Amino acid sequence: MWSSHPQVDAGEASELVRRCAEAAAECAQVCTACADACLGEDMVADLVGCIRMNSDCADVCATTARILTRQTQPDLATVRAVLEACRAACGACATECESHADMHDHCRVCAETCRRCEQACAELLASL
Amino acid sequence: MWSSHPQVDAGEASELVRRCAEAAAECAQVCTACADACLGEDMVADLVGCIRMNSDCADVCATTARILTRQTQPDLATVRAVLEACRAACGACATECESHADMHDHCRVCAETCRRCEQACAELLASL
Amino acid sequence: MWSSHPQVDAGEASELVRRCAEAAAECAQVCTACADACLGEDMVADLVGCIRMNSDCADVCATTARILTRQTQPDLATVRAVLEACRAACGACATECESHADMHDHCRVCAETCRRCEQACAELLASL
Amino acid sequence: MWSSHPQVDAGEASELVRRCAEAAAECAQVCTACADACLGEDMVADLVGCIRMNSDCADVCATTARILTRQTQPDLATVRAVLEACRAACGACATECESHADMHDHCRVCAETCRRCEQACAELLASL
């Protein structure tokens, strides 16, 4: 899909954008799944903060994936600020999930996914 | 991620749900990309209907992916109606994109992705 | 905003669309707020089904609001199927919230908002 | 709805959050409408940059409205970064829409709505 866009070149910058868009789209799905899995646990009352953070991170990542997927006439200041928000949300969600990753496998997987997206945002920000 | 949910069994029904959630999440991204690629074409004025349909299909697919990803206490009537909406949006978007798939590679890829998601919705609906 | 669109007439059909778009946008916000308020209650374990239904309804209503807000070259079959999904989600969420509306004011307000949106979807469907 | 949350006090901070959530929810709807109205104009080819910016701003504002609407256990660093992204997107979208506000009434209304949301984000950020 990526290479069929009329205005996208095939350089390294574009590859970093594509990788970050994919990391954000995956993270949005995984955070939605983790929020729901936490909601299904018997000890849901202990996972309220995690559900909250999962929900925010899912929304921010979904928006980031959309904005990075769009290649036509982007506004660089907006892209940068969205990447910073995505990095912050993924970092906070990873920290929360890591704190009970040994009890819940979905939190372990979610924390790893968030760290990958956080890293992808950081690499893209460094290149802009 | 899927298998770590506290309330999901590993049966065939769950596998159909998982596959449809993934098809919808992929379709949401591809439709967002196709809308943007159409917007970047010189002949954008001829692609207005396609951009409109891509935008609707991206939104419906993103919502469908979220709802199918949630496994805790689903409401079956809502899930069914959302799947019907997703099938309708994917069918309409595929038909639109197919009509100029030979001119734009992004429309060809998008049509194929929409048909896969339409099929996944139909299979899941048939199993419910 | 509505009247500034280059392709929207000022007739009764358009007025029903506008009212339904506003009802869906409001319902998306109220369902997000109710899910979060439920999550903040001490008895969160008893509100798991409500949080699930609120989350689905918020997503379906947000998508419905966007699709109805778009007036350029709509696909009628998609619009109809989305309205059916919105009516189903709002009906299910209202029923759930009504079942504990006397204990939680946010559920009472949310049930009323869902019923209004359900009704707006039904009226618009009847007119299409 | 706001006052029925189990963990929200009635102070000035909460009032700023509520006002910013409402401004962002309204801006998301208006930007969706402006993107669609631009798409319906005969001169759509001249409005490509505006449609792009409207789409990004709609997504960022919708996410911001959801995150501000949630009051249970927020992560302050995430909230701050999301508000910065929303302020950036609204500022860029307003500047774009202002540049052809005299030709298109939907762009004039959209620019004003974006400026109000940008201002609400700035005021909330100053108070955090």
Side-chain angles (χ1 to χ4, degrees):
Chain A
M1 195 66 198
W2 205 256
S3 59
S4 67
H5 193 287
Q7 297 178 8
V8 174
D9 62 31
E12 190 187 358
S14 171
E15 177 60 22
L16 278 174
V17 174
R18 191 187 58 72
R19 247 190 288 163
C20 193
E22 286 177 5
E26 188 197 4
C27 199
Q29 277 295 103
V30 169
C31 284
T32 299
C34 191
D36 177 69
C38 288
L39 200 61
E41 297 283 358
D42 290 337
M43 57 181 292
V44 56
D46 297 332
L47 295 166
V48 163
C50 192
I51 294 171
R52 163 63 202 259
M53 202 57 239
N54 283 151
S55 304
D56 284 7
C57 197
D59 288 336
V60 174
C61 285
T63 285
T64 303
R66 283 185 165 217
I67 287 173
L68 293 179
T69 297
R70 297 185 188 118
Q71 298 287 307
T72 301
Q73 300 189 31
D75 174 67
L76 202 57
T78 300
V79 172
R80 263 203 203 99
V82 167
L83 285 169
E84 292 286 8
C86 194
R87 180 159 70 167
C90 287
C93 195
T95 300
E96 174 64 37
C97 280
E98 283 160 2
S99 71
H100 31 77
D102 54 341
M103 292 189 62
H104 303 295
D105 219 41
H106 47 84
C107 289
R108 186 186 55 74
V109 175
C110 189
E112 291 168 4
T113 310
C114 287
R115 289 290 179 213
R116 274 198 302 275
C117 187
E118 183 189 27
Q119 179 69 16
C121 291
E123 286 172 16
L124 183 50
L125 276 164
S127 82
L128 291 178
Chain B
M1 193 66 198
W2 206 256
S3 59
S4 67
H5 193 288
Q7 296 178 8
V8 174
D9 63 31
E12 192 187 355
S14 171
E15 177 60 22
L16 279 174
V17 175
R18 191 187 59 72
R19 247 190 287 163
C20 193
E22 286 176 6
E26 189 197 5
C27 200
Q29 276 296 102
V30 169
C31 284
T32 299
C34 191
D36 177 70
C38 288
L39 200 62
E41 297 283 357
D42 289 337
M43 56 181 293
V44 57
D46 297 331
L47 296 167
V48 162
C50 192
I51 294 170
R52 164 62 202 260
M53 202 57 239
N54 283 152
S55 303
D56 284 6
C57 197
D59 288 337
V60 173
C61 285
T63 285
T64 303
R66 283 184 163 217
I67 286 173
L68 293 179
T69 297
R70 297 187 187 117
Q71 298 287 307
T72 302
Q73 300 189 29
D75 173 67
L76 203 55
T78 300
V79 171
R80 263 203 204 100
V82 167
L83 284 170
E84 292 286 7
C86 194
R87 179 160 70 166
C90 287
C93 195
T95 299
E96 174 65 36
C97 280
E98 284 160 1
S99 73
H100 30 77
D102 53 341
M103 290 189 64
H104 304 294
D105 219 42
H106 47 83
C107 289
R108 186 186 55 73
V109 175
C110 189
E112 291 169 4
T113 309
C114 287
R115 288 291 177 213
R116 274 199 302 275
C117 187
E118 183 189 26
Q119 179 69 16
C121 291
E123 286 171 17
L124 183 51
L125 276 164
S127 82
L128 291 179
Chain C
M1 195 66 198
W2 205 255
S3 59
S4 66
H5 193 288
Q7 296 178 10
V8 175
D9 63 31
E12 191 187 357
S14 171
E15 177 60 22
L16 278 174
V17 175
R18 191 187 58 73
R19 248 189 288 162
C20 193
E22 285 177 6
E26 188 196 6
C27 198
Q29 277 296 102
V30 169
C31 284
T32 299
C34 190
D36 178 70
C38 287
L39 199 62
E41 297 284 357
D42 289 337
M43 58 179 292
V44 56
D46 298 331
L47 295 168
V48 163
C50 193
I51 294 171
R52 163 63 201 259
M53 202 58 239
N54 283 152
S55 303
D56 284 7
C57 197
D59 288 337
V60 174
C61 285
T63 286
T64 303
R66 282 184 164 217
I67 287 173
L68 293 179
T69 298
R70 296 185 188 119
Q71 298 286 307
T72 302
Q73 299 189 30
D75 173 68
L76 202 56
T78 300
V79 171
R80 264 203 202 97
V82 167
L83 285 169
E84 292 287 7
C86 194
R87 179 161 69 167
C90 288
C93 195
T95 300
E96 173 65 36
C97 280
E98 283 160 2
S99 72
H100 31 77
D102 54 340
M103 291 189 62
H104 303 295
D105 220 40
H106 47 83
C107 289
R108 186 186 56 73
V109 175
C110 189
E112 292 169 2
T113 310
C114 287
R115 289 291 178 215
R116 275 198 301 275
C117 187
E118 183 190 26
Q119 179 69 16
C121 291
E123 286 171 17
L124 182 52
L125 276 164
S127 82
L128 292 178
Chain D
M1 194 68 198
W2 205 256
S3 59
S4 66
H5 193 288
Q7 297 177 9
V8 175
D9 62 31
E12 191 188 357
S14 171
E15 177 59 22
L16 278 175
V17 174
R18 192 187 58 73
R19 246 189 289 163
C20 193
E22 286 176 6
E26 188 197 5
C27 198
Q29 277 296 102
V30 169
C31 284
T32 299
C34 191
D36 178 69
C38 288
L39 199 61
E41 296 284 357
D42 290 336
M43 58 180 290
V44 56
D46 297 331
L47 296 167
V48 163
C50 192
I51 294 171
R52 163 63 201 260
M53 202 57 239
N54 282 152
S55 303
D56 284 7
C57 197
D59 288 336
V60 173
C61 286
T63 285
T64 303
R66 282 184 164 218
I67 286 173
L68 293 180
T69 297
R70 297 185 188 117
Q71 298 286 309
T72 301
Q73 298 189 31
D75 173 68
L76 203 56
T78 300
V79 172
R80 263 203 204 100
V82 167
L83 285 169
E84 292 285 8
C86 194
R87 178 159 70 166
C90 287
C93 195
T95 300
E96 173 65 38
C97 279
E98 284 160 1
S99 72
H100 30 77
D102 53 341
M103 290 189 63
H104 304 294
D105 219 41
H106 46 84
C107 290
R108 185 186 55 76
V109 175
C110 189
E112 292 169 2
T113 310
C114 287
R115 289 291 178 214
R116 275 198 301 274
C117 187
E118 183 189 25
Q119 179 69 15
C121 291
E123 286 171 16
L124 182 50
L125 275 164
S127 81
L128 292 179

